[in-house]
Amino acid sequence: MDLRDRIVTRVARELRDGDYVNLGIGMPTLVANHIPPGVHITLHSENGLLGIGPFPTDDEVDPDLINAGKETVTETPGCSYFSSADSFAMVRGGHIDLTVLGALQVDAEGNLANWMIPGKMVPGMGGAMDLVSGARRVVVAMQHTAKGRSKVVRECTLPLTSSRTIHLLVTELAVIGFPEGRATLLETAPGVDVQEVLAATEAKLVVPSTVPQMSIQETHA
């Protein structure tokens, strides 16, 4: 299992039956490939689609049917189309149960930075500001380091996406929660010990006396 699959498989365990879910562009979209058996969710896209299906095969591609990341998608029976304004009203109204986002930085208090304009690492913030503020739960899926530097930092140096604390961070090394705004090590990845996580993390982590191992075993229906 490669690093991205490890991350999104663990994130998929956060899905609950009946959830309305928004998956951010990039790695978060892969969560849809790892939905646990018996869990039925409805995928939402900011550009106005509720009920996204699997990615299309070559003969199913419809260039007019895309998600917010401009990837071609399929639709599920009973899906709905609507304006972008209505889509964001769903987000801002608190009707999205879970959003999964990528990030450039997450800090020790659970603040998120996933965009910047000056260097154009990412062209813009897209719907992330609304999603982080409006979704009931916010999970970040990202790699723990980039170019040898920790992305789990003491304080974000890039522009904050929202001042609202995220609920959970999943990386290839660990699962980190933010109870009371304090980065807390909840799980380590298979084959990774606590010291390895601490060495790769700039932020100070609260480490409980017992830290279980991340469960990434996939069960197929």
Side-chain angles (χ1 to χ4, degrees), residues 107-195:
D107 71 18
E109 296 182 351
N111 295 308
L112 163 67
N114 75 342
W115 66 281
M116 66 174 294
I117 296 297
K120 294 189 177 178
M121 292 172 66
V122 175
M125 75 295 294
M129 288 183 171
D130 294 276
L131 286 162
V132 175
S133 298
R136 294 175 182 172
R137 294 193 72 225
V138 180
V139 174
V140 169
M142 74 175 191
Q143 292 193 16
H144 209 96
T145 61
K147 299 180 180 179
R149 300 185 64 179
S150 179
K151 295 172 67 175
V152 188
V153 295
R154 294 185 186 89
E155 184 176 354
C156 290
T157 56
L158 298 173
L160 292 183
T161 303
S162 170
S163 60
R164 182 188 180 196
T165 300
I166 66 171
H167 295 90
L168 201 69
L169 166 64
V170 181
T171 78
E172 76 279 14
L173 298 181
V175 178
I176 297 170
F178 299 90
E180 300 179 355
R182 300 174 67 198
T184 302
L185 182 61
L186 302 181
E187 302 172 16
T188 59
V192 176
D193 62 30
V194 170
Q195 291 306 313

Side-chain angles (χ1 to χ4, degrees), residues 26-48:
M27 190 187 340
T29 62
L30 300 177
V31 172
N33 297 333
H34 300 272
I35 300 172
V39 174
H40 303 281
I41 65 171
T42 302
L43 290 176
H44 165 274
S45 184
E46 298 102 297
N47 59 325

Side-chain angles (χ1 to χ4, degrees), residues 44-49 80-90:
H44 165 274
S45 184
E46 298 102 297
N47 59 325
L49 175 56
S80 299
Y81 296 94
F82 34 82
S83 71
S84 181
D86 286 333
S87 182
F88 276 92
M90 292 179 192

